[in-house]
Amino acid sequence: NNKKVALSKFLVFSFCLLLSFVFLLIATKSSPLYPFNDWVDTNASFTMGKAMMSGKILYRDIFDHRGPLLYLLFGLGYLISRTSFLGVFIFEVVSFSVFLFFCFKILSLYLDFNYALLALPLISAAVVNLKSFEKGGSPEEFCLPLITISLYYILNYFKTVYPKQMPFRWVFINGMIAGCVLWIKFTFLGFWFGWMIAIILSCLANKSYLHAIKRSLIFLAGMLAATIPWIIYFG
């Protein structure tokens, strides 16, 4: 049974990877089908990533207003291809694949396997037509899978676990996810404010006041864990 589940997950993720590649090949200007990406924001991020990989210190030697984790992704993309956005395109495909996989997991909570699978091409077509995907390489694009992962966790909790308490491990993981978003584009953190309010209210509804405090602290610990590498880097 475990082997069948693992195989099923592998096949679903492979399908997500295929969809991601096909749709982004057309939708993002980082794609090899385009001669170049002419969006100024993406080029600025690529320049920041290049500088980071060349030994420059972000915000001291070179400056832009987004978070360092975004520039790290672009820097790794620069190491893959120094004269094109091929590396960035690869990260976009992986990011969108993760998004689709967790969309499938969310849909599977409420729908049959086949229906959940059939919905993925429709979701792909709808999402790549959003303004955030107009050029490719936006912070919104890289935050999308992180939001979807946390959305899956909370929906799964209220559907399969509640009224028991959310496991500490889940809270910590989602704290780390929120920490990653903090260092990409902090304005998206409003989603996790709502996320934690839902968890705290679920504890208070059961008069588990200590559990509410513990989970709040564990969530913050997860955010700190995602922040420590940047404290070391800038230190």
Side-chain angles (χ1 to χ4, degrees):
N1 287 335
N2 290 337
K3 288 184 178 180
K4 286 183 179 179
V5 170
L7 179 61
S8 176
K9 287 182 178 179
F10 174 77
L11 293 174
V12 170
F13 189 79
S14 298
F15 181 59
C16 293
L17 195 61
L18 176 64
L19 286 175
S20 176
F21 177 78
V22 171
F23 278 93
L24 289 180
L25 198 64
I26 300 167
T28 172
K29 284 192 173 182
S30 302
S31 161
L33 294 184
Y34 293 83
F36 56 88
N37 190 327
D38 61 348
W39 189 29
V40 63
D41 286 15
T42 300
N43 283 276
S45 295
F46 192 80
T47 300
M48 292 289 287
K50 176 182 176 180
M52 185 181 186
M53 293 299 145
S54 302
K56 303 291 184 183
I57 301 299
L58 299 178
Y59 315 116
R60 187 195 69 181
D61 302 322
I62 187 167
F63 183 82
D64 192 43
H65 64 283
R66 293 179 178 84
L69 182 53
L70 179 68
Y71 301 139
L72 175 62
L73 291 174
F74 273 84
L76 295 174
Y78 163 75
L79 294 180
I80 294 171
S81 177
R82 301 192 174 197
T83 56
S84 74
F85 285 96
L86 177 62
V88 177
F89 175 71
I90 290 171
F91 282 111
E92 285 185 69
V93 169
V94 173
S95 174
F96 199 67
S97 301
V98 173
F99 160 70
L100 289 176
F101 183 71
F102 276 89
C103 283
F104 171 81
K105 288 172 75 71
I106 290 171
L107 291 168
S108 296
L109 293 173
Y110 307 99
L111 299 175
D112 178 72
F113 179 92
N114 293 329
Y115 286 114
L117 208 61
L118 285 171
L120 295 182
L122 299 175
I123 293 172
S124 301
V127 171
V128 297
N129 276 284
L130 295 173
K131 189 175 181 180
S132 298
F133 281 78
E134 186 178 1
K135 302 285 188 178
S138 68
E140 290 83 358
E141 189 176 346
F142 290 114
C143 287
L144 183 62
L146 301 176
I147 292 172
T148 311
I149 292 169
S150 285
L151 183 61
Y152 165 73
Y153 269 101
I154 199 161
L155 291 174
N156 187 32
Y157 166 65
F158 282 112
K159 189 173 190 302
T160 64
V161 179
Y162 186 80
K164 294 180 181 177
Q165 300 298 329
M166 178 178 276
F168 288 137
R169 181 171 59 89
W170 289 16
V171 179
F172 184 79
I173 289 170
N174 283 278
M176 287 191 67
I177 291 171
C180 289
V181 170
L182 171 66
W183 298 111
I184 295 176
K185 191 172 182 179
F186 71 89
T187 52
F188 292 134
L189 284 178
F191 174 83
W192 282 272
F193 279 106
W195 197 94
M196 272 308 298
I197 286 170
I199 299 303
I200 291 169
L201 289 177
S202 71
C203 294
L204 297 180
N206 295 320
K207 297 182 179 180
S208 303
Y209 306 114
L210 186 59
H211 284 293
I213 295 171
K214 284 182 178 178
R215 276 155 182 77
S216 298
L217 292 175
I218 289 171
F219 185 86
L220 291 173
M223 290 190 72
L224 178 61
T227 300
I228 286 173
W230 296 111
I231 294 174
I232 295 170
Y233 168 77
F234 288 111

